[in-house]
Amino acid sequence: MQREAPAPAVAAIGLRLLDRVDDLAAELTEVIRRAEPFYAGSIVVAVDDLRASVRDNLIHILGQLCGQPRSGLEPPRVTGRRRAEQGVPLPVILHAYRVAGKFIWAAILAEAAGSEVATTALLNAGSELWFIIDDHSGTVTDSYRDAVAERAHVDSQTRNAMLDVLLRGDAGDGSRLWDSATTLRLPHHGTFVVVAARPPRPGVESVAHAEDALRTRGVRSAWRVEVDAHVGVVVLTPRVNLDKLCAHLAELAAGPVGVSAAYASLDQTPAALRQARLACATATPGGPHLVRYEQVPIAVLLASAPDAAGVVAQAVLGPVLALPAIEADVLLGTLRTWFAEQGATSVAAEKLHVHRNTVRYRLRRVEELTSRSLTQPTGIGELYLALEAARILHLGGA
């Protein structure tokens, strides 16, 4: 926006203030330090740093006020970026600009004292000064937020790279492993597990804000989103052991979760990642379900060899799977319930809300179709393996 040229008296005052900008910068620096506690005791922003920034901004503001504007808004832009990098809160910076506006206005009034012409001209200069201060504050805010966003992006990339070292392994002397753990704020020694959670759709979190959510429960962790899983390295403690962690994850996760066996050395993380992924692969789809690797050895074995599992499922249950979908679902569901109830036909019938003779009839139908007997160990074993393989591979209604 094109602004009117300042009145000669105002321009003259601005030039006189520019002539002693070094003294004004030193004085304003102390005023800001007294007015803003953060700067008063800051070890982040040195006095010389603050003074240099104050001087640059003073030159820019006074130059605009007296009709000799510098191009662009570089000083406030530099200030916003630098303070963001130093971790200075944005309200602190904006407060300093308000303090600076009052200081400059007081300096202008002091220069105009005794001059009726200058005093009259200052009626317009006051609003112009605060317009300039607002302009600077807006530029500082934009620059600050841009720097914070860039830093967050860089931090995210750095964290992702460090986590990759843990999850994929360090092919060197191990030093990168420890550096990565330090960056991720994980201990070098302790008890760990890897978690792999299946997301509701590719590339999104399954455990919302996982690190923060677990931190509030006293758990340290580092997570990242991969195409097909939300993966985390989690630290176990005496207060939050594996059982308690699993309870937290079951509550927080939006879908199936696999948890590795606990391990004591970070160089075992790649193996634990494979365990967690296999455990997650054995989870029943369609809802939250947490699986611990060491508790499902048969399912993990089948998930680790999906081609072989498919062969087992078809070889044993092929005739059942070939039936119309509704009939196959009924037979496989009955067989699964019977296994879940340890072969107790009456209990399975109660669970299925049918007569026990109906359960017996369905089981005999499975035996006839598969040529396996549910009274012989071999038949029971083969049917169970095939049923688990069908469930994991999402075949039929298993």
Side-chain angles (χ1 to χ4, degrees):
M1 183 182 71
Q2 187 69 34
R3 298 179 189 172
E4 295 181 3
V10 174
I13 290 173
L15 289 171
R16 290 200 297 274
L17 292 176
L18 276 172
D19 286 341
R20 54 190 186 91
V21 70
D22 288 336
D23 292 338
L24 288 173
E27 185 178 349
L28 177 53
T29 298
E30 293 308 312
V31 170
I32 291 173
R33 281 166 54 81
R34 289 195 298 271
E36 178 48 65
F38 183 93
Y39 285 128
S42 177
I43 60 174
V44 175
V45 183
V47 176
D48 290 345
D49 184 349
L50 180 59
R51 187 185 301 113
S53 177
V54 167
R55 183 182 185 278
D56 290 344
N57 281 273
L58 269 178
I59 291 173
H60 202 268
I61 292 169
L62 292 173
Q64 288 182 278
L65 199 62
C66 70
Q68 297 180 353
R70 274 62 178 174
S71 62
L73 287 166
E74 196 58 27
R77 191 170 289 114
V78 170
T79 298
R81 175 169 292 277
R82 180 161 177 76
R83 297 296 176 254
E85 291 170 350
Q86 294 169 325
V88 179
L90 181 57
V92 168
I93 307 167
L94 297 178
H95 182 210
Y97 270 89
R98 292 194 298 273
V99 170
K102 293 177 181 179
F103 176 88
I104 295 169
W105 182 240
I108 291 171
L109 291 177
E111 284 291 330
S115 169
E116 185 176 342
V117 174
T119 301
T120 302
L122 291 183
L123 292 176
N124 290 328
S127 60
E128 177 66 10
L129 171 63
W130 287 108
F131 186 93
I132 293 170
I133 294 296
D134 284 346
D135 210 14
H136 276 60
S137 297
T139 301
V140 161
T141 300
D142 291 343
S143 178
Y144 183 97
R145 288 174 176 165
D146 286 346
V148 169
E150 288 175 19
R151 185 175 64 185
H153 180 66
V154 171
D155 287 350
S156 177
Q157 289 183 317
T158 299
R159 284 178 58 80
N160 194 53
M162 296 298 100
L163 193 50
D164 194 70
V165 172
L166 262 63
L167 294 172
R168 308 306 174 196
D170 180 8
D173 59 4
S175 60
R176 290 177 66 236
L177 194 68
W178 309 128
D179 290 344
S180 297
T182 300
T183 300
L184 296 168
R185 298 182 181 178
L186 299 176
H188 290 182
H189 304 284
T191 304
F192 311 90
V193 293
V194 173
V195 177
R198 190 181 305 158
R201 58 186 183 279
V204 302
E205 293 184 337
S206 176
V207 182
H209 310 293
E211 290 184 28
D212 291 338
L214 288 175
R215 188 182 299 113
T216 62
R217 291 164 167 78
V219 181
R220 278 186 289 175
S221 61
W223 292 73
R224 78 172 183 187
V225 174
E226 299 186 347
V227 174
D228 60 343
H230 189 197
V231 176
V233 179
V234 184
V235 183
L236 298 178
T237 63
R239 192 168 75 86
V240 182
N241 59 20
L242 185 52
D243 288 337
K244 195 162 187 179
L245 172 65
C246 288
H248 290 323
L249 291 170
E251 174 189 344
L252 295 168
V257 179
V259 182
S260 75
Y263 60 100
S265 178
L266 285 174
D267 59 7
Q268 297 173 298
T269 302
L273 172 61
R274 175 168 169 76
Q275 292 179 0
R277 281 184 165 277
L278 285 173
C280 187
T282 71
T284 302
H289 183 52
L290 186 140
V291 179
R292 288 168 56 172
Y293 176 83
E294 74 278 9
Q295 292 182 345
V296 288
I298 292 176
V300 163
L301 181 64
L302 293 167
S304 67
D307 291 342
V311 170
V312 169
Q314 289 295 339
V316 177
L317 291 175
V320 179
L321 296 171
L323 293 172
I326 294 177
E327 188 176 354
D329 289 352
V330 168
L331 294 180
L332 294 174
T334 301
L335 183 60
R336 176 161 295 283
T337 303
W338 185 79
F339 274 123
E341 300 306 328
Q342 308 299 316
T345 303
S346 296
V347 178
E350 289 179 10
K351 292 284 185 179
L352 294 169
H353 306 291
V354 297
H355 193 276
R356 62 179 178 275
N357 287 338
T358 301
V359 173
R360 292 193 183 102
Y361 168 78
R362 292 174 182 175
L363 295 177
R364 281 198 301 273
R365 180 85 172 120
V366 170
E367 289 178 314
E368 291 169 358
L369 288 168
T370 63
S371 301
R372 266 79 176 178
S373 172
L374 287 171
T375 61
Q376 296 177 354
T378 301
I380 291 173
E382 289 182 353
L383 283 168
Y384 181 78
L385 284 172
L387 192 64
E388 278 290 87
R391 179 183 66 83
I392 292 167
L393 298 175
H394 317 315
L395 301 176

